[in-house]
Each structure stands twice: as C-alpha cells, then as structure tokens.
Amino acid sequence: KLEWHIDKQTEAHIQSGLEEIDKLVDDLDLYILRFDMFGREYPKTVNMSPDSFNEQKLKLLREAIEHQTEHMLKTILGHGVDNHMLGLRVTAESVMGKLPDLFTDPVYVECNQFRLSTSQVSTTTDALICYGAVVPNGYGAAYNLHTDSIVVCISCWRDCPNPDISALRYGEALRQAFEDMHEMIQANVELAKINTVSTESKIPEENLATTKENGESDSAEKQQ
C-alpha cells in the first residue's frame, strides 16, 4: 500500500481533473454497432484482400483508398505537408511569441479539423474499445474485426451545436453501408475480384535508391 502526501494545491488540481473527467463522461454519446452478417473472414471467401475490403467499408469510395494510402506513405516517409507546417508553427510561436496570421487563417484551421477518427483495435475477446471524437463536431470510430462479425464503437459529443451529429445515426448509416456492400459483392463476385484495390504500401523507387546508397556507404566505411 502506498501513502501519498500532497499539498493543498496538488489536491485541488486532482479534484479539478476528476470533475473534468466526469463532465466528459456525461457529454459522451456512445453507440455500439454489432454487425454479424460477415466478419474478417468474408473477404477471403470472395478472394478479396481483407485490408482493401475493410478500407472500402469505411471510406466507401475506392479512389479515397488510393488517395489516402498515397498520402499516408508520404507522411510516414517525412514528406507530409502537415509535418512541415507543424514544425514551422511551433518554431514561429517559440521565436515570435505568437502565431503568424497563416496559422490562424480559417482555411488552415479547417484543414486541421479531423471530423472522423478511425482505428482498428483487434482483440480475440469480445472487448469494447473506444475513444472520443477529436473535434467537437466529429466522430470517433474504433472497430474490432472478429471472424464472423464486426464491432464498431462510435462516439461523438452531446453538446455539439450540430443537431445532426449522432452516434446512433452514424451507426445506422454504417450498418446500412455494410449491408449494401455485402449485397453488391454477392451479386457481382467476379467483378469484385477484378476490381480489388491493394492497400499495401510500397516505398517509392527514389527512397529505395537512397536507402541502398546509404547501406553501401555504411558497408564501405566498415570495410575501411
């Protein structure tokens, strides 16, 4: 057993934190979607890539998959524009003491509003894993792919000024999308196989060349 000796100020901060957590809990709108028409094994029955199929369900548009994958890879390799802008913003604020107009421009602010935050959190048990939306008028969607079912924990904030924001409404729309995709694929299995999009990320040739050159240089130095 640990005994903590804290001063009044620290105790006040702890109490304030507890009250803030209670407010967030009360404000959270949570809906659990349990979809049992198919699960992660279904794509294999129609010879589709599970990764591409799951992304199609969430994004609904094939072009969005390719576009998102391309930009994700660029970001991983350090070429994402948001990385550079973040560096400039932090540097400017620390040097100038305030943000330049560029970073308070409505367009820049809007570009950093991520209204849909999704993440696959796979478990072998029927665990419910969720998180809140990252913006006041957005959604959080953590999904768990089981063998023959899918569980999606959808969240948003009750105090959102937009009355159309609803975890239940989003869940019902997602369920309908799942059912529509299942019906479409079952009716056009061969076409689905042909048009499967691979979401495997590949390092561009120029990066491979750079990596190879660096590797050869390291080897040469070691030999010397």
Side-chain angles (χ1 to χ4, degrees):
K1 180 180 178 180
L2 295 176
E3 293 185 1
W4 298 89
H5 299 279
I6 57 177
D7 56 31
K8 294 294 184 181
Q9 184 178 13
T10 302
E11 185 176 356
H13 286 317
I14 293 175
Q15 184 60 38
S16 176
L18 291 173
E19 293 174 358
E20 185 64 27
I21 290 175
D22 287 339
K23 290 180 182 178
L24 290 173
V25 171
D26 292 338
D27 189 33
L28 183 67
D29 182 14
L30 182 66
Y31 177 77
I32 309 300
L33 169 62
R34 293 182 179 274
F35 186 78
D36 56 9
M37 186 175 289
F38 57 79
R40 67 168 179 264
E41 296 300 315
Y42 174 68
K44 298 177 183 178
T45 66
V46 291
N47 197 31
M48 294 181 69
S49 162
D51 287 339
S52 66
F53 185 75
N54 293 331
E55 287 298 324
Q56 287 179 67
K57 291 200 303 289
L58 292 175
K59 303 298 183 181
L60 300 180
L61 297 175
R62 194 177 302 273
E63 292 80 4
I65 302 170
E66 297 173 332
H67 185 74
Q68 189 268 348
T69 302
E70 177 185 356
H71 285 275
M72 176 185 68
L73 181 57
K74 288 182 178 179
T75 301
I76 291 174
L77 295 173
H79 300 307
V81 65
D82 56 326
N83 292 338
H84 305 301
M85 296 300 289
L86 175 61
L88 289 172
R89 190 185 73 185
V90 173
T91 301
E93 191 171 19
S94 62
V95 173
M96 302 171 59
K98 64 176 183 178
L99 287 176
D101 293 341
L102 169 64
F103 298 105
T104 58
D105 187 277
V107 175
Y108 178 81
V109 174
E110 181 64 24
C111 287
N112 286 274
Q113 295 294 303
F114 302 104
R115 292 193 172 89
L116 177 59
S117 175
T118 66
S119 180
Q120 179 181 177
V121 186
S122 297
T123 66
T124 56
T125 61
D126 190 24
L128 298 177
I129 301 173
C130 62
Y131 50 83
V134 298
V135 294
N137 60 339
Y139 291 98
Y143 57 102
N144 192 351
L145 304 178
H146 295 290
T147 301
D148 53 5
S149 65
I150 301 173
V151 177
V152 187
C153 296
I154 303 162
S155 67
C156 62
W157 302 110
R158 298 181 189 277
D159 65 353
C160 174
N162 185 347
D164 293 330
I165 299 295
S166 163
L168 173 61
R169 179 177 295 183
Y170 184 94
E172 291 176 340
L174 187 58
R175 181 189 299 276
Q176 186 61 55
F178 285 177
E179 293 176 355
D180 290 346
M181 291 197 68
H182 182 265
E183 180 180 353
M184 177 183 66
I185 292 171
Q186 287 299 110
N188 304 275
V189 174
E190 294 304 318
L191 183 62
K193 293 178 182 179
I194 295 173
N195 289 332
T196 296
V197 176
S198 174
T199 57
E200 292 183 2
S201 299
K202 297 181 179 179
I203 299 177
E205 292 297 328
E206 60 268 22
N207 294 92
L208 285 174
T210 302
T211 302
K212 183 177 180 181
E213 290 175 0
N214 291 339
E216 291 176 348
S217 299
D218 292 341
S219 299
E221 291 177 0
K222 289 180 180 178
Q223 291 177 357
Q224 292 176 357

